Amino acid sequence: MTKKTDYESAVLRLEEIVTQLENSELPLEKAIKLFEEGTKLTSFCYDTLQKAEQKIIAADELKTEADREEEA
């Protein structure tokens, strides 16, 4: 995984890895390397989604606060 990996690229690569693992008879060493890469990509995607969720929650809290101030 490169430093410039974005969420969409990571998901596409994960799909490729899953397809390779499901549809071919890979040597064990190659399958393990793909699995390890997939695990890293999964962690990256999870972290990215967690950060996005926190941004959404923060924005929603700001909107709710602003709405309350308008009502007051």
Side-chain angles (χ1 to χ4, degrees), residues 13-59:
R13 180 61 183 144
L14 273 170
E15 290 173 353
E16 292 172 359
I17 290 170
V18 168
T19 299
Q20 286 182 9
L21 290 172
E22 288 180 341
N23 298 329
S24 65
E25 294 181 20
L26 298 169
L28 181 60
E29 193 61 36
K30 173 75 173 172
I32 290 170
K33 286 182 181 182
L34 285 172
F35 180 81
E36 290 171 344
E37 181 183 355
T39 300
K40 290 176 186 176
L41 288 167
T42 300
S43 293
F44 170 80
C45 288
Y46 179 80
D47 291 344
T48 302
L49 289 173
Q50 287 294 104
K51 289 175 186 174
E53 181 180 28
Q54 291 304 315
K55 287 180 183 179
I56 291 168
I57 289 169

